[in-house]
mmCIF file of all heavy atoms in Angstrom:
data_model
loop_
_atom_site.group_PDB
_atom_site.id
_atom_site.type_symbol
_atom_site.label_atom_id
_atom_site.label_comp_id
_atom_site.label_asym_id
_atom_site.label_seq_id
_atom_site.Cartn_x
_atom_site.Cartn_y
_atom_site.Cartn_z
ATOM 1 N N TYR A 1 164.441 103.606 92.311
ATOM 2 C CA TYR A 1 163.416 102.692 92.790
ATOM 3 C C TYR A 1 164.059 101.367 93.199
ATOM 4 O O TYR A 1 165.096 100.973 92.664
ATOM 5 C CB TYR A 1 162.389 102.415 91.703
ATOM 6 C CG TYR A 1 161.755 103.654 91.118
ATOM 7 C CD1 TYR A 1 162.272 104.242 89.962
ATOM 8 C CD2 TYR A 1 160.660 104.250 91.728
ATOM 9 C CE1 TYR A 1 161.700 105.387 89.425
ATOM 10 C CE2 TYR A 1 160.086 105.390 91.196
ATOM 11 C CZ TYR A 1 160.609 105.953 90.044
ATOM 12 O OH TYR A 1 160.039 107.086 89.520
ATOM 13 N N LEU A 2 163.389 100.693 94.101
ATOM 14 C CA LEU A 2 163.768 99.323 94.432
ATOM 15 C C LEU A 2 162.497 98.484 94.377
ATOM 16 O O LEU A 2 161.614 98.636 95.221
ATOM 17 C CB LEU A 2 164.408 99.234 95.809
ATOM 18 C CG LEU A 2 164.970 97.852 96.171
ATOM 19 C CD1 LEU A 2 166.171 97.519 95.291
ATOM 20 C CD2 LEU A 2 165.364 97.787 97.647
ATOM 21 N N GLN A 3 162.416 97.656 93.358
ATOM 22 C CA GLN A 3 161.303 96.728 93.233
ATOM 23 C C GLN A 3 161.675 95.446 93.961
ATOM 24 O O GLN A 3 162.704 94.825 93.630
ATOM 25 C CB GLN A 3 161.020 96.430 91.757
ATOM 26 C CG GLN A 3 159.917 95.410 91.528
ATOM 27 C CD GLN A 3 158.553 95.908 91.952
ATOM 28 O OE1 GLN A 3 158.179 97.043 91.678
ATOM 29 N NE2 GLN A 3 157.800 95.055 92.635
ATOM 30 N N MET A 4 160.871 95.080 94.924
ATOM 31 C CA MET A 4 161.158 93.913 95.759
ATOM 32 C C MET A 4 160.082 92.864 95.545
ATOM 33 O O MET A 4 158.909 93.107 95.843
ATOM 34 C CB MET A 4 161.233 94.327 97.236
ATOM 35 C CG MET A 4 162.254 95.421 97.495
ATOM 36 S SD MET A 4 162.355 95.892 99.231
ATOM 37 C CE MET A 4 160.810 96.790 99.406
ATOM 38 N N ASN A 5 160.473 91.735 95.007
ATOM 39 C CA ASN A 5 159.555 90.626 94.762
ATOM 40 C C ASN A 5 159.936 89.422 95.618
ATOM 41 O O ASN A 5 161.051 89.352 96.137
ATOM 42 C CB ASN A 5 159.583 90.237 93.280
ATOM 43 C CG ASN A 5 159.155 91.359 92.370
ATOM 44 O OD1 ASN A 5 158.310 92.182 92.716
ATOM 45 N ND2 ASN A 5 159.723 91.403 91.161
ATOM 46 N N SER A 6 159.013 88.500 95.741
ATOM 47 C CA SER A 6 159.255 87.269 96.515
ATOM 48 C C SER A 6 159.838 87.609 97.885
ATOM 49 O O SER A 6 160.819 87.013 98.329
ATOM 50 C CB SER A 6 160.208 86.348 95.747
ATOM 51 O OG SER A 6 159.686 86.007 94.488
ATOM 52 N N LEU A 7 159.200 88.553 98.542
ATOM 53 C CA LEU A 7 159.720 89.017 99.833
ATOM 54 C C LEU A 7 159.665 87.920 100.882
ATOM 55 O O LEU A 7 158.749 87.081 100.897
ATOM 56 C CB LEU A 7 158.940 90.239 100.291
ATOM 57 C CG LEU A 7 159.344 91.538 99.574
ATOM 58 C CD1 LEU A 7 158.253 92.586 99.691
ATOM 59 C CD2 LEU A 7 160.654 92.059 100.154
ATOM 60 N N LYS A 8 160.659 87.959 101.756
ATOM 61 C CA LYS A 8 160.790 86.987 102.830
ATOM 62 C C LYS A 8 160.772 87.717 104.169
ATOM 63 O O LYS A 8 161.138 88.897 104.243
ATOM 64 C CB LYS A 8 162.113 86.237 102.695
ATOM 65 C CG LYS A 8 162.327 85.545 101.357
ATOM 66 C CD LYS A 8 163.710 84.931 101.284
ATOM 67 C CE LYS A 8 163.946 84.262 99.940
ATOM 68 N NZ LYS A 8 165.315 83.662 99.850
ATOM 69 N N PRO A 9 160.397 87.033 105.236
ATOM 70 C CA PRO A 9 160.429 87.681 106.557
ATOM 71 C C PRO A 9 161.795 88.275 106.891
ATOM 72 O O PRO A 9 161.868 89.322 107.548
ATOM 73 C CB PRO A 9 160.052 86.539 107.500
ATOM 74 C CG PRO A 9 159.177 85.657 106.685
ATOM 75 C CD PRO A 9 159.776 85.698 105.305
ATOM 76 N N GLU A 10 162.851 87.651 106.427
ATOM 77 C CA GLU A 10 164.192 88.168 106.715
ATOM 78 C C GLU A 10 164.525 89.443 105.947
ATOM 79 O O GLU A 10 165.576 90.049 106.172
ATOM 80 C CB GLU A 10 165.258 87.097 106.439
ATOM 81 C CG GLU A 10 165.170 86.441 105.083
ATOM 82 C CD GLU A 10 164.426 85.116 105.133
ATOM 83 O OE1 GLU A 10 163.356 85.044 105.800
ATOM 84 O OE2 GLU A 10 164.897 84.150 104.485
ATOM 85 N N ASP A 11 163.639 89.868 105.053
ATOM 86 C CA ASP A 11 163.819 91.163 104.383
ATOM 87 C C ASP A 11 163.294 92.310 105.241
ATOM 88 O O ASP A 11 163.460 93.480 104.876
ATOM 89 C CB ASP A 11 163.098 91.169 103.042
ATOM 90 C CG ASP A 11 163.691 90.193 102.039
ATOM 91 O OD1 ASP A 11 164.935 90.115 101.959
ATOM 92 O OD2 ASP A 11 162.912 89.522 101.330
ATOM 93 N N THR A 12 162.652 91.983 106.338
ATOM 94 C CA THR A 12 162.122 93.011 107.230
ATOM 95 C C THR A 12 163.253 93.884 107.771
ATOM 96 O O THR A 12 164.225 93.379 108.324
ATOM 97 C CB THR A 12 161.362 92.366 108.397
ATOM 98 O OG1 THR A 12 160.214 91.682 107.886
ATOM 99 C CG2 THR A 12 160.923 93.419 109.410
ATOM 100 N N ALA A 13 163.119 95.179 107.568
ATOM 101 C CA ALA A 13 164.161 96.120 107.976
ATOM 102 C C ALA A 13 163.694 97.543 107.676
ATOM 103 O O ALA A 13 162.679 97.744 106.994
ATOM 104 C CB ALA A 13 165.462 95.837 107.233
ATOM 105 N N VAL A 14 164.464 98.487 108.168
ATOM 106 C CA VAL A 14 164.315 99.865 107.704
ATOM 107 C C VAL A 14 165.233 100.014 106.494
ATOM 108 O O VAL A 14 166.427 99.701 106.568
ATOM 109 C CB VAL A 14 164.684 100.882 108.790
ATOM 110 C CG1 VAL A 14 164.576 102.303 108.238
ATOM 111 C CG2 VAL A 14 163.783 100.714 110.011
ATOM 112 N N TYR A 15 164.669 100.478 105.412
ATOM 113 C CA TYR A 15 165.426 100.648 104.170
ATOM 114 C C TYR A 15 165.791 102.124 104.018
ATOM 115 O O TYR A 15 164.923 103.001 104.084
ATOM 116 C CB TYR A 15 164.605 100.162 102.988
ATOM 117 C CG TYR A 15 164.563 98.648 102.890
ATOM 118 C CD1 TYR A 15 163.871 97.895 103.833
ATOM 119 C CD2 TYR A 15 165.237 97.976 101.881
ATOM 120 C CE1 TYR A 15 163.853 96.506 103.767
ATOM 121 C CE2 TYR A 15 165.220 96.593 101.802
ATOM 122 C CZ TYR A 15 164.529 95.865 102.753
ATOM 123 O OH TYR A 15 164.520 94.488 102.687
ATOM 124 N N TYR A 16 167.076 102.354 103.813
ATOM 125 C CA TYR A 16 167.599 103.714 103.705
ATOM 126 C C TYR A 16 168.112 103.967 102.296
ATOM 127 O O TYR A 16 168.876 103.154 101.748
ATOM 128 C CB TYR A 16 168.746 103.933 104.680
ATOM 129 C CG TYR A 16 168.361 103.872 106.125
ATOM 130 C CD1 TYR A 16 168.447 102.680 106.836
ATOM 131 C CD2 TYR A 16 167.906 105.008 106.794
ATOM 132 C CE1 TYR A 16 168.095 102.617 108.176
ATOM 133 C CE2 TYR A 16 167.551 104.957 108.135
ATOM 134 C CZ TYR A 16 167.644 103.764 108.814
ATOM 135 O OH TYR A 16 167.297 103.716 110.137
ATOM 136 N N CYS A 17 167.722 105.087 101.768
ATOM 137 C CA CYS A 17 168.286 105.532 100.495
ATOM 138 C C CYS A 17 169.632 106.177 100.754
ATOM 139 O O CYS A 17 169.817 106.882 101.751
ATOM 140 C CB CYS A 17 167.335 106.526 99.842
ATOM 141 S SG CYS A 17 167.866 107.114 98.222
ATOM 142 N N ASN A 18 170.567 105.944 99.862
ATOM 143 C CA ASN A 18 171.914 106.481 99.995
ATOM 144 C C ASN A 18 172.342 107.111 98.678
ATOM 145 O O ASN A 18 172.039 106.596 97.602
ATOM 146 C CB ASN A 18 172.875 105.350 100.365
ATOM 147 C CG ASN A 18 174.333 105.755 100.251
ATOM 148 O OD1 ASN A 18 174.982 105.510 99.238
ATOM 149 N ND2 ASN A 18 174.854 106.364 101.289
ATOM 150 N N ALA A 19 173.035 108.220 98.794
ATOM 151 C CA ALA A 19 173.646 108.848 97.620
ATOM 152 C C ALA A 19 175.081 109.205 97.954
ATOM 153 O O ALA A 19 175.387 109.571 99.098
ATOM 154 C CB ALA A 19 172.874 110.093 97.202
ATOM 155 N N VAL A 20 175.938 109.080 96.984
ATOM 156 C CA VAL A 20 177.354 109.407 97.156
ATOM 157 C C VAL A 20 177.717 110.500 96.170
ATOM 158 O O VAL A 20 177.471 110.366 94.962
ATOM 159 C CB VAL A 20 178.246 108.185 96.919
ATOM 160 C CG1 VAL A 20 179.714 108.561 97.136
ATOM 161 C CG2 VAL A 20 177.859 107.049 97.848
ATOM 162 N N ALA A 21 178.298 111.580 96.704
ATOM 163 C CA ALA A 21 178.743 112.682 95.856
ATOM 164 C C ALA A 21 180.069 113.200 96.395
ATOM 165 O O ALA A 21 180.136 113.585 97.566
ATOM 166 C CB ALA A 21 177.701 113.798 95.829
ATOM 167 N N PHE A 22 181.087 113.179 95.581
ATOM 168 C CA PHE A 22 182.423 113.650 95.983
ATOM 169 C C PHE A 22 182.866 112.965 97.276
ATOM 170 O O PHE A 22 183.327 113.624 98.206
ATOM 171 C CB PHE A 22 182.425 115.171 96.150
ATOM 172 C CG PHE A 22 182.035 115.887 94.893
ATOM 173 C CD1 PHE A 22 180.771 116.440 94.755
ATOM 174 C CD2 PHE A 22 182.922 115.993 93.832
ATOM 175 C CE1 PHE A 22 180.402 117.100 93.601
ATOM 176 C CE2 PHE A 22 182.560 116.645 92.660
ATOM 177 C CZ PHE A 22 181.288 117.202 92.548
ATOM 178 N N THR A 23 182.686 111.675 97.336
ATOM 179 C CA THR A 23 183.056 110.794 98.452
ATOM 180 C C THR A 23 182.240 111.039 99.720
ATOM 181 O O THR A 23 182.497 110.432 100.758
ATOM 182 C CB THR A 23 184.561 110.907 98.805
ATOM 183 O OG1 THR A 23 184.811 112.163 99.461
ATOM 184 C CG2 THR A 23 185.429 110.780 97.580
ATOM 185 N N ARG A 24 181.252 111.886 99.647
ATOM 186 C CA ARG A 24 180.421 112.131 100.823
ATOM 187 C C ARG A 24 179.127 111.334 100.695
ATOM 188 O O ARG A 24 178.523 111.302 99.621
ATOM 189 C CB ARG A 24 180.108 113.619 100.953
ATOM 190 C CG ARG A 24 179.285 113.963 102.171
ATOM 191 C CD ARG A 24 179.169 115.449 102.380
ATOM 192 N NE ARG A 24 178.295 115.762 103.499
ATOM 193 C CZ ARG A 24 178.037 117.004 103.922
ATOM 194 N NH1 ARG A 24 178.603 118.031 103.322
ATOM 195 N NH2 ARG A 24 177.236 117.194 104.951
ATOM 196 N N ASN A 25 178.709 110.718 101.787
ATOM 197 C CA ASN A 25 177.480 109.944 101.825
ATOM 198 C C ASN A 25 176.312 110.759 102.356
ATOM 199 O O ASN A 25 176.447 111.474 103.345
ATOM 200 C CB ASN A 25 177.661 108.709 102.711
ATOM 201 C CG ASN A 25 178.362 107.580 101.986
ATOM 202 O OD1 ASN A 25 177.751 106.838 101.227
ATOM 203 N ND2 ASN A 25 179.657 107.469 102.206
ATOM 204 N N TYR A 26 175.189 110.620 101.698
ATOM 205 C CA TYR A 26 173.944 111.238 102.139
ATOM 206 C C TYR A 26 172.923 110.127 102.363
ATOM 207 O O TYR A 26 172.906 109.133 101.638
ATOM 208 C CB TYR A 26 173.429 112.217 101.090
ATOM 209 C CG TYR A 26 174.367 113.372 100.835
ATOM 210 C CD1 TYR A 26 175.361 113.278 99.853
ATOM 211 C CD2 TYR A 26 174.274 114.547 101.568
ATOM 212 C CE1 TYR A 26 176.231 114.327 99.624
ATOM 213 C CE2 TYR A 26 175.141 115.606 101.334
ATOM 214 C CZ TYR A 26 176.119 115.487 100.362
ATOM 215 O OH TYR A 26 176.980 116.525 100.139
ATOM 216 N N TRP A 27 172.053 110.357 103.361
ATOM 217 C CA TRP A 27 171.074 109.335 103.729
ATOM 218 C C TRP A 27 169.685 109.911 103.817
ATOM 219 O O TRP A 27 169.489 111.054 104.247
ATOM 220 C CB TRP A 27 171.450 108.725 105.088
ATOM 221 C CG TRP A 27 172.760 108.016 105.080
ATOM 222 C CD1 TRP A 27 173.976 108.534 105.438
ATOM 223 C CD2 TRP A 27 173.001 106.671 104.675
ATOM 224 N NE1 TRP A 27 174.950 107.582 105.281
ATOM 225 C CE2 TRP A 27 174.382 106.436 104.819
ATOM 226 C CE3 TRP A 27 172.186 105.633 104.212
ATOM 227 C CZ2 TRP A 27 174.967 105.201 104.511
ATOM 228 C CZ3 TRP A 27 172.771 104.419 103.898
ATOM 229 C CH2 TRP A 27 174.147 104.215 104.049
ATOM 230 N N GLY A 28 168.709 109.089 103.441
ATOM 231 C CA GLY A 28 167.328 109.429 103.668
ATOM 232 C C GLY A 28 166.939 109.076 105.089
ATOM 233 O O GLY A 28 167.732 108.554 105.871
ATOM 234 N N GLN A 29 165.668 109.347 105.399
ATOM 235 C CA GLN A 29 165.196 109.134 106.765
ATOM 236 C C GLN A 29 164.847 107.671 107.031
ATOM 237 O O GLN A 29 164.684 107.270 108.181
ATOM 238 C CB GLN A 29 163.970 110.027 107.042
ATOM 239 C CG GLN A 29 162.648 109.505 106.492
ATOM 240 C CD GLN A 29 162.483 109.736 104.993
ATOM 241 O OE1 GLN A 29 163.362 110.251 104.312
ATOM 242 N NE2 GLN A 29 161.319 109.344 104.466
ATOM 243 N N GLY A 30 164.736 106.895 105.970
ATOM 244 C CA GLY A 30 164.414 105.474 106.120
ATOM 245 C C GLY A 30 162.933 105.197 105.966
ATOM 246 O O GLY A 30 162.091 106.023 106.310
ATOM 247 N N THR A 31 162.639 104.031 105.435
ATOM 248 C CA THR A 31 161.250 103.598 105.311
ATOM 249 C C THR A 31 161.169 102.145 105.773
ATOM 250 O O THR A 31 162.006 101.314 105.414
ATOM 251 C CB THR A 31 160.737 103.760 103.868
ATOM 252 O OG1 THR A 31 159.339 103.447 103.816
ATOM 253 C CG2 THR A 31 161.485 102.895 102.867
ATOM 254 N N GLN A 32 160.165 101.855 106.580
ATOM 255 C CA GLN A 32 160.035 100.521 107.177
ATOM 256 C C GLN A 32 159.393 99.552 106.178
ATOM 257 O O GLN A 32 158.351 99.858 105.578
ATOM 258 C CB GLN A 32 159.185 100.573 108.440
ATOM 259 C CG GLN A 32 158.930 99.227 109.091
ATOM 260 C CD GLN A 32 160.177 98.637 109.732
ATOM 261 O OE1 GLN A 32 160.924 99.338 110.421
ATOM 262 N NE2 GLN A 32 160.408 97.346 109.515
ATOM 263 N N VAL A 33 160.020 98.403 106.028
ATOM 264 C CA VAL A 33 159.452 97.300 105.256
ATOM 265 C C VAL A 33 159.311 96.117 106.196
ATOM 266 O O VAL A 33 160.298 95.678 106.803
ATOM 267 C CB VAL A 33 160.338 96.934 104.053
ATOM 268 C CG1 VAL A 33 159.824 95.655 103.382
ATOM 269 C CG2 VAL A 33 160.394 98.074 103.057
#
């Protein structure tokens, strides 16, 4: 989870989940904030 408080306009972005396993990166599809 990512709890985001006191949000600012500059926090606007697509947020991507990332996982690392055996030096390989995996990505989610992204969620708009």
Side-chain angles (χ1 to χ4, degrees):
Y1 305 94
L2 186 68
Q3 177 67 44
M4 304 181 287
N5 299 327
S6 301
L7 283 160
K8 304 175 181 179
E10 51 263 44
D11 294 318
T12 295
V14 177
Y15 284 69
Y16 294 93
C17 182
N18 168 264
V20 181
F22 301 104
T23 73
R24 182 171 176 179
N25 279 279
Y26 298 90
W27 297 95
Q29 80 282 2
T31 185
Q32 177 70 45
V33 172

